[in-house]
Amino acid sequence: MNFLDTVPAIRRLETSRDDLFAIDVVGHVSAADGENLFGLMEAAYALHPRIDVLVRLVDHDGVDWTHIADETLKQGAIHALEHVGRCATIGKPDWIADAQRFLPSSPPIEIRHFKAEDEAAAWQWLAAQPIGATASGALT
């Protein structure tokens, strides 16, 4: 198997808001996927000093956190605290408790988890809509 045989686990979603960074996380997230995610977020911060984030988990099968550079994780957390206002997660698992271990006790980020069947409420909370194909491949 070569790199062309694998599909990235992190997939950008087009939305009705330029300052909303929205992604699908599909299957297992490799260290390379994780490093790529931090790079995509840095690009979003360069375009918009304050952003909101939507993470839709689709058949999520874990993350290779131990294989992502410690410096990348540290800088990712620092930059998220500086740039992210709201973060909505959709689907399983609800990893908010895990994420909060990396953040101060009173993080400036407002984080909410939504069940997959409540996805519309997550989009509404962020005042946005998906544009184009959904996780199921249907067009919106």
Side-chain angles (χ1 to χ4, degrees), residues 54 88-90 112 114-115 118-128:
L54 179 135
T89 66
I90 303 166
R112 287 193 189 172
F114 297 84
K115 294 179 181 177
D118 298 328
E119 180 176 339
W123 287 99
Q124 182 177 15
W125 183 62
L126 294 170

Side-chain angles (χ1 to χ4, degrees), residues 41-108:
M41 292 191 75
E42 289 297 326
Y45 303 150
L47 293 173
H48 303 282
R50 293 294 292 172
I51 65 170
D52 289 334
V53 175
L54 179 135
V55 178
R56 186 167 55 188
L57 301 165
V58 181
D59 298 325
H60 184 60
D61 188 27
V63 179
D64 285 338
W65 291 115
T66 58
H67 294 103
I68 298 173
D70 288 340
E71 186 62 26
T72 299
L73 293 172
K74 186 185 303 181
Q75 285 299 315
I78 290 168
H79 291 169
L81 291 169
E82 294 170 347
H83 297 283
V84 177
R86 287 182 160 186
C87 178
T89 66
I90 303 166
K92 292 181 181 178
D94 177 354
W95 49 262
I96 290 176
D98 293 333
Q100 288 175 330
R101 280 189 264 151
F102 293 103
L103 303 173
S105 59
S106 298

Side-chain angles (χ1 to χ4, degrees), residues 127-140:
Q129 297 177 33
I131 296 174
T134 63
S136 65
L139 291 177
T140 59

